[in-house]
Amino acid sequence: MGLLLLLLPALLVSMDISILFVAAPEISVALEPTASQMVWAMDIYGFVIAGLLLPMGGLGDRIGRRRLLIIGAVLFGIASALLAFAPTAEILIVARAALAVGGATLAPSTLALIRDMFASERQRGVAVSAWTVAFAGGSVLGPIVGGVLLEHFWWGSVFLVNVPVMLVLVLAAPWLLPESRSTTPHPYDLPGAALVTVSIIAAAFAVKHTVSEGPDAASAVAVVLAAIGVTAYVLRHRRIAYPLIDASLFRNRRFSAAVAANATVALALTGLGSLAFTFVQTTHALSALQAALWALPAFAGTLVGAGVAAAIPASFPRAAILVIGVAIAGAGFCVVAWWGVPGTLWTFLLGYLVITTGAGLATPTASALILSEAPPARTGSASGLAESSTELGGAMGIAILGTAAATVYTRAMHELAPSEPRAFETVGGGMEVFRGDAEMLQAVIAAYGDGVVTASLIGAGVCLLAGVVLAVALRHRSAGSSADTKASAVP
């Protein structure tokens, strides 16, 4: 029951990333946000979570991971209610930021508690696989749950559904979950937490803004701010006894490779995921709910991959599983690019199934490696690193793959319809402009398909290159690896 309770927040934190995509049209009508406000309402959740995961993981090590989980559940529930009844776009954005703060406390707490609840490597691997399925499933279930709720209720219902779940978590956690914290209490590095948060948010904003808008003054300021934050943190790290992030963790090659693998898979998978629903709806004429239901095989792929990862004997090298999973995901991107986009709905979903199967194999393996290689006293910080790499990878994937697809589409529309600026921005705008022109509608759909192919090829290149790098990096154990000194270590 304790594990099931920990899966609920993982599911909802992930679900709230994608559920806003379904509710966006109704929110636009009800609150009349500007285009910039709508973008911030979508992006601020990922930015804040990415910036706070590491500080919150370290805070859990200090004050107790169960206690932090309960605090996060209360904040997540309150922010969800505020979102559901937000009267203006400004309050919507603030509530999304507050929701992200709650989410940033929930995610590392759940993984760290799993480490403490399951002592054996095999049991922990099964638990981490279940957590991965819940987290990945949230992004798939988000549009489905949102679509069902919007069929019967107002847009705020997609957020209000979080409240009863958080209430159950708050009431049941003291009874079903053990408390755990660092056995060697030390002062919390509050200045370091502030520097890490500012650096991560500034760096994420710089990359996303540069990719979408091009280099400008805002990008330059963000880069400078991130550089100052990183430099100040490194200088501080050398002078204090208990820094927020233990840099020695990254001297462990297996730990560093697992963090990098998390980011790589998230970048490729989330980047294509941000395009897939729109592609399926436009190319194959499906509603939002129908597209979400057709995407269920993607969830099945994650289940299969995570199940295989959990079932493989402990004697089989985890590093090899990680490399194989990343390579399978890369192969899936090739299927999407070469057969899925120009083919039928089934060939597209087949490629997507291969991608999610590889991701389901790699992600829990990477998370298990991160947890097993970190000292028990630093599991909160290590969990924060694992989740930060995932969130940052996902944010960068949306920026890079999404912008690549948009660039290909926009260039094509400039050539096809230079006098129709409404068609340049989005495929939805293009279809609206040429609603009565069958030939131009097909051209719009083809242009968007070319963009998805480009994004898929980028995803394939990222995964396959990462597979090669990981294979080289994980050939030998790192000196001083905790795996070398513990009989129960991951082989």
Side-chain angles (χ1 to χ4, degrees):
M1 287 297 293
L3 176 60
L4 180 61
L5 193 64
L6 290 175
L7 298 183
L8 291 176
L11 182 73
L12 289 182
V13 169
S14 175
M15 195 169 75
D16 273 270
I17 296 173
S18 60
I19 204 166
L20 184 61
F21 299 154
V22 178
E26 290 198 20
I27 291 174
S28 297
V29 173
L31 303 184
E32 299 182 353
T34 66
S36 176
Q37 287 174 330
M38 200 65 217
V39 168
W40 272 109
M42 292 185 178
D43 285 349
I44 199 166
Y45 185 79
F47 280 174
V48 174
I49 281 187
L52 288 179
L53 279 168
L54 284 173
M56 290 302 181
L59 185 61
D61 291 337
R62 172 68 179 169
I63 70 171
R65 292 139 192 163
R66 186 183 67 186
R67 177 182 296 178
L68 186 66
L69 182 75
I70 294 173
I71 293 172
V74 172
L75 180 56
F76 200 83
I78 293 173
S80 296
L82 181 59
L83 267 171
F85 298 103
T88 66
E90 291 81 5
I91 293 178
L92 182 80
I93 293 170
V94 171
R96 283 284 285 178
L99 190 74
V101 175
T105 66
L106 293 172
S109 299
T110 53
L111 264 181
L113 285 167
I114 284 174
R115 160 69 185 258
D116 292 330
M117 289 171 61
F118 299 94
S120 80
E121 202 69 42
R122 182 161 187 81
Q123 288 180 333
R124 187 186 304 149
V126 172
V128 171
S129 293
W131 185 93
T132 301
V133 169
F135 194 82
S139 61
V140 176
L141 290 176
I144 297 173
V145 172
V148 171
L149 289 172
L150 291 172
E151 288 284 327
H152 302 93
F153 306 104
W154 93 113
W155 62 266
S157 63
V158 303
F159 302 111
L160 202 60
V161 72
N162 296 335
V163 176
V165 179
M166 291 299 108
L167 182 60
V168 169
L169 182 60
V170 169
L171 295 177
W175 300 95
L176 297 179
L177 300 177
E179 182 58 284
S180 72
R181 57 171 57 87
S182 173
T183 55
T184 55
H186 50 76
Y188 184 64
D189 183 16
L190 185 59
L195 290 171
V196 167
T197 300
V198 171
S199 299
I200 291 178
I201 292 177
F205 174 83
V207 173
K208 188 173 181 64
H209 186 79
T210 301
V211 171
S212 59
E213 305 293 335
D216 57 16
S219 300
V221 170
V223 169
V224 171
L225 188 60
I228 292 174
V230 170
T231 302
Y233 181 83
V234 170
L235 293 175
R236 177 180 171 78
H237 176 276
R238 296 174 178 174
R239 297 197 308 267
I240 63 175
Y242 301 105
L244 178 69
I245 303 173
D246 185 358
S248 65
L249 289 173
F250 289 97
R251 291 200 291 268
N252 182 333
R253 188 184 299 172
R254 291 158 67 85
F255 181 90
S256 298
V259 171
N262 253 354
T264 299
V265 172
L267 185 153
L269 188 59
T270 307
L272 183 62
S274 66
L275 304 170
F277 281 106
T278 300
F279 172 78
V280 170
Q281 290 178 63
T282 56
T283 303
H284 300 286
L286 299 179
S287 69
L289 181 57
Q290 287 174 326
L293 293 173
W294 273 98
L296 283 175
F299 182 54
T302 305
L303 279 173
V304 170
V308 170
I312 293 175
S315 58
F316 194 86
R318 302 293 104 174
I321 299 173
L322 185 59
V323 172
I324 292 170
V326 173
I328 290 174
F333 278 100
C334 293
V335 173
V336 169
W338 292 333
W339 294 290
V341 173
T344 65
L345 178 60
W346 284 105
T347 56
F348 180 82
L349 293 177
L350 173 63
Y352 212 87
L353 177 64
V354 175
I355 294 171
T356 55
T357 301
L361 191 63
T363 303
T365 304
S367 297
L369 272 173
I370 290 169
L371 291 177
S372 64
E373 295 294 323
R378 306 292 289 179
T379 52
S381 297
S383 300
L385 277 169
E387 286 306 295
S388 290
S389 63
T390 300
E391 293 295 335
L392 283 173
M396 296 305 101
I398 292 173
I400 296 170
L401 271 65
T403 302
T407 300
V408 171
Y409 170 80
T410 300
R411 287 178 178 173
M413 294 312 299
H414 269 291
E415 295 179 4
L416 289 169
S419 61
E420 294 289 350
R422 283 184 60 204
F424 298 167
E425 296 295 327
T426 65
V427 63
M431 295 185 72
E432 183 66 28
V433 169
F434 299 110
R435 181 176 297 276
D437 188 333
E439 183 177 351
M440 284 302 298
L441 277 177
Q442 287 303 311
V444 168
I445 292 172
Y448 190 73
D450 290 341
V452 175
V453 168
T454 301
S456 300
L457 291 174
I458 294 172
V462 167
C463 287
L464 296 177
L465 178 61
V468 173
V469 173
L470 289 171
V472 172
L474 295 172
R475 282 181 303 174
H476 307 290
R477 293 186 189 276
S478 302
S481 167
S482 61
D484 295 327
T485 57
K486 295 186 293 183
S488 62
V490 178

